[in-house]
Amino acid sequence: MSPKPIIEIRELTKIYKGADEPAVNSISLDIFPNEIFGLLGPNGAGKTTTISILCGLFPATKGSVVIDGIDSHVNLEQIKQIIGVVPQDIALYPTLTGRENLTFFGNMYGLYGSELNNKINHYLGEFGLEKHAGKMVGKYSGGMKRRVNLIAGLLHDPKILFLDEPTVGIDVQSRVVILEYLKEINKKGVTIIYTSHHMEEAESLCTRVAIIDRGKIIALGQPKELLARNPEFSNLENIFIHLTGKGMRD
Ligand SMILES: Nc1ncnc2c1ncn2[C@@H]1O[C@H](COP(=O)(O)OP(=O)(O)OP(=O)(O)O)[C@@H](O)[C@H]1O
Ligand SMILES: [Mg+2]
């Protein structure tokens, strides 16, 4: 693993207006180039808040984020050019077709004309969507929407890709297509940070994971390190339950 992190997070804290507790509570973390890093935690743990701050969607209350050597307080716009964002809530226009949605997102990243069209065609093919490109996204299945949502974050060839629960609510086929593609772009050098509730998936996909709960990191390491540290548990899911408890969260 390279000694120079591609993402340096220091004492990151987010207190939403009117909240009693911080949603993210002084998280410090280094992520290294070419990792597939999993941010795992129960509902309300602070995963989306953390990833949203890293992507520059809203500011932290305290702390700092340096991405690829660029301090987000100094040049957030430069960071935005090298990152791709795939949000938890599908951010597509239901009355536009798949192709129109992707054209819109491509334009937002400054891509136009045949360069953009070629990319869109490439990704529609890659994700088995070419037949559906002319249909309104509102009529797509959940898996198709997730795939378009992912393509929208990939069009500008980001160096770092953030995905917030990219495989939630989809069938095995769409899940496999998405995960295989993430592995493929990771092999080509893209650093991936993703959140999930799916422990088995994270265990097989991630180079390292952080388990967060109530805004704090409570475990960090390679899945196999966490298993070695907790020999009484046979998989990541059991460690996760052990650390976060069985109580339901909202
Ligand atoms: N815009 C907001 N205003 C106030 N509180 C918020 C806001 N967004 C999230 N929260 C609160 O912050 C905490 C962390 O939420 P967050 O969405 O980051 O969790 P999460 O780990 O992504 O959960 P999930 O698994 O349900 O997606 C929760 O207590 C949540 O209710
Ligand atoms: Mg979330």
Side-chain angles (χ1 to χ4, degrees):
M1 204 172 278
S2 161
K4 174 93 182 107
I6 194 162
I7 301 178
E8 297 162 73
I9 303 165
R10 292 293 174 273
E11 295 177 20
L12 196 71
T13 300
K14 178 73 184 180
I15 305 170
Y16 287 109
K17 223 181 211 160
D20 301 329
E21 302 277 322
V24 174
N25 193 349
S26 200
I27 283 184
S28 295
L29 178 66
D30 284 336
I31 297 171
F32 296 90
N34 223 24
E35 283 208 89
I36 302 185
F37 191 91
L39 212 48
L40 313 176
N43 289 134
K47 304 180 296 296
T48 297
T49 304
T50 304
I51 242 179
S52 301
I53 297 168
L54 297 181
C55 296
L57 298 180
F58 51 73
T61 309
K62 269 187 272 176
S64 69
V65 175
V66 175
I67 295 186
D68 205 23
I70 309 160
D71 187 327
S72 67
H73 290 306
V74 176
N75 201 341
L76 189 56
E77 290 314 307
Q78 205 183 336
I79 292 177
K80 285 187 177 173
Q81 288 167 18
I82 58 161
I83 64 171
V85 183
V86 181
Q88 177 170 5
D89 296 323
I90 289 183
L92 300 170
Y93 294 94
T95 57
L96 297 183
T97 67
R99 184 182 294 281
E100 286 166 346
N101 265 283
L102 291 172
T103 304
F104 171 81
F105 282 102
N107 292 163
M108 275 200 343
Y109 288 119
L111 298 166
Y112 296 93
S114 59
E115 185 196 4
L116 176 57
N117 280 334
N118 291 343
K119 277 185 185 244
I120 291 175
N121 288 336
H122 165 78
Y123 283 118
L124 288 171
E126 195 80 44
F127 288 97
L129 290 165
E130 59 276 76
K131 276 196 305 208
H132 309 285
K135 279 191 214 157
M136 272 185 1
V137 159
K139 302 208 158 128
Y140 280 18
S141 71
M144 286 158 68
K145 285 183 197 159
R146 281 269 163 227
R147 282 178 270 155
V148 178
N149 208 42
L150 172 59
I151 298 172
L154 288 172
L155 284 171
H156 62 302
D157 298 319
K159 188 170 173 177
I160 306 169
L161 184 62
F162 293 96
L163 307 106
D164 198 356
E165 299 196 30
T167 58
V168 82
I170 57 174
D171 63 19
V172 177
Q173 283 77 6
S174 282
R175 175 193 290 273
V176 168
V177 168
I178 288 177
L179 294 179
E180 287 305 313
Y181 196 75
L182 294 181
K183 283 186 209 164
E184 203 178 304
I185 58 171
N186 176 252
K187 275 199 202 119
K188 291 182 186 155
V190 177
T191 304
I192 294 174
I193 295 91
Y194 104 118
T195 75
S196 182
H197 289 118
H198 203 292
M199 294 300 135
E200 212 179 304
E201 175 185 299
E203 193 173 329
S204 74
L205 186 70
C206 295
T207 50
R208 283 191 310 147
V209 298
I211 298 178
I212 68 169
D213 197 11
R214 298 188 172 90
K216 281 192 168 295
I217 294 178
I218 55 171
L220 173 69
Q222 297 171 3
K224 66 170 191 243
E225 284 171 355
L226 297 186
L227 287 164
R229 255 183 255 155
N230 296 275
E232 65 276 41
F233 300 110
S234 59
N235 59 38
L236 199 55
E237 176 145 331
N238 290 337
I239 296 174
F240 181 85
I241 298 269
H242 168 69
L243 293 173
T244 58
K246 288 188 179 158
M248 298 255 263
R249 312 296 170 77
D250 292 314

